[in-house]
Amino acid sequence: MTSRNSSKALQTVPFFANLSQIDAENLAERLVIRHFSPGQIIFHHGDPGGLLYIIIRGKVKIAHSTPEGQEALLAILGEDDFFGELALLDDSPRSATAEAIQSTETLTLHRDDFINFISNNPKFSLHVLKTLSRHIRRLNSQLSDVFFLDLPARLARTLLILAEQHGRVTTEGIVIDLALTQTDLAEMTGATRVSINKAIGRFRREQWVNTKGRKFIILNEAALQHLIQISGGALS
């Protein structure tokens, strides 16, 4: 990938969307391409930080595991998404584990290169703070869901978010272009697999969603939104 193509990829990432073309090209010269196979761990929770990853192709799941072996699936990321951004600022160990779930290609930026760049571009610091504040708001929203939404509403919100991020509109409905298991959804909603199974059964009977293999199809987006609203929150 040429420096010009890398700069275009960099500017698709919210973290760097406001960069000028010249600044993007200068920063792109420091990007390194990395490839990961399906199931390959990109980094573990507790590993040293230091790199930002920008996904060019493929999908990555971000999860947090407890010492007892319980896992919370925090996000599934795709093309143009980025992760590892906190390490650019505080140089702390990784707060979660990142795993490629498809053949994945990323661009990586080292913390030292980022710090040097931001030191010479003080106006960019404000943009960084705004981007991170949106990240914190999203985490706050996820946390409030656990306390204020019942399980069906949490599942509805999760499916709608996945549809927004990874959805593909078809004649059947919005196909979530991910192979999802009930365990994945349980980890994303703070529930058990058995309770997720029951909720999915209800969604199917109501014809709100359908499944084909491990892919979910949103049939009635408005009904899922209504379920969230009556439980205590609106999709943001």
Side-chain angles (χ1 to χ4, degrees):
M1 180 178 290
T2 65
S3 175
R4 182 173 295 274
N5 288 338
S6 295
S7 70
K8 289 180 180 179
L10 196 66
Q11 288 174 301
T12 66
V13 179
F15 213 50
F16 300 104
N18 290 350
L19 286 179
S20 68
Q21 185 64 35
I22 293 176
D23 285 340
E25 289 179 1
N26 289 337
L27 197 58
E29 292 176 355
R30 296 165 174 79
L31 296 174
V32 177
I33 298 176
R34 297 174 187 262
H35 299 272
F36 302 95
S37 303
Q40 183 175 352
I41 299 297
I42 299 173
F43 55 73
H44 287 279
H45 175 221
D47 283 352
L51 289 178
L52 170 75
Y53 295 80
I54 303 166
I55 301 173
I56 301 303
R57 176 179 56 85
K59 296 190 186 298
V60 173
K61 76 171 184 178
I62 309 296
H64 180 83
S65 299
T66 67
E68 293 76 27
Q70 295 177 315
E71 185 173 83
L73 183 51
L74 304 178
I76 298 177
L77 307 177
E79 183 177 335
D80 295 338
D81 286 329
F82 62 101
F83 57 99
E85 69 277 11
L86 294 181
L88 293 184
L89 299 176
D90 62 8
D91 201 25
S92 294
R94 298 296 185 184
S95 59
T97 295
E99 177 185 344
I101 56 177
Q102 296 179 358
S103 294
T104 298
E105 180 179 337
T106 70
L107 296 172
T108 59
L109 177 67
H110 195 275
R111 179 178 185 269
D112 290 344
D113 292 321
F114 174 76
I115 294 299
N116 288 335
F117 177 80
I118 204 171
S119 297
N120 295 321
N121 295 268
K123 290 183 180 180
F124 185 63
S125 302
L126 180 60
H127 176 62
V128 170
L129 291 175
K130 288 180 178 179
T131 302
L132 290 177
S133 70
R134 287 194 294 269
H135 176 77
I136 293 171
R137 288 180 185 275
R138 186 172 66 251
L139 291 178
N140 286 342
S141 177
Q142 291 175 338
L143 183 61
S144 68
D145 285 353
V146 174
F147 289 100
F148 300 119
L149 297 184
D150 58 19
L151 173 59
R154 296 202 306 274
L155 177 59
R157 187 192 287 273
T158 297
L159 290 174
L160 288 176
I161 290 174
L162 290 173
E164 182 180 350
Q165 294 174 334
H166 307 286
R168 177 168 45 87
V169 178
T170 70
T171 55
E172 297 178 273
I174 304 174
V175 177
I176 299 175
D177 209 11
L178 294 170
L180 293 168
T181 66
Q182 292 184 6
T183 299
D184 291 334
L185 292 173
E187 292 172 353
M188 295 185 81
T189 56
T192 65
R193 192 189 65 79
V194 172
S195 59
I196 287 292
N197 181 272
K198 291 179 180 178
I200 291 172
R202 174 191 172 189
F203 286 14
R204 285 187 184 133
R205 289 192 301 272
E206 299 284 355
Q207 296 186 340
W208 297 341
V209 304
N210 196 8
T211 56
K212 281 192 173 181
R214 290 171 59 185
K215 291 192 176 182
F216 283 77
I217 305 170
I218 306 297
L219 304 177
N220 192 334
E221 185 176 357
L224 296 178
Q225 288 276 18
H226 181 67
L227 187 65
I228 296 167
Q229 290 168 357
I230 62 176
S231 181
L235 184 64
S236 57

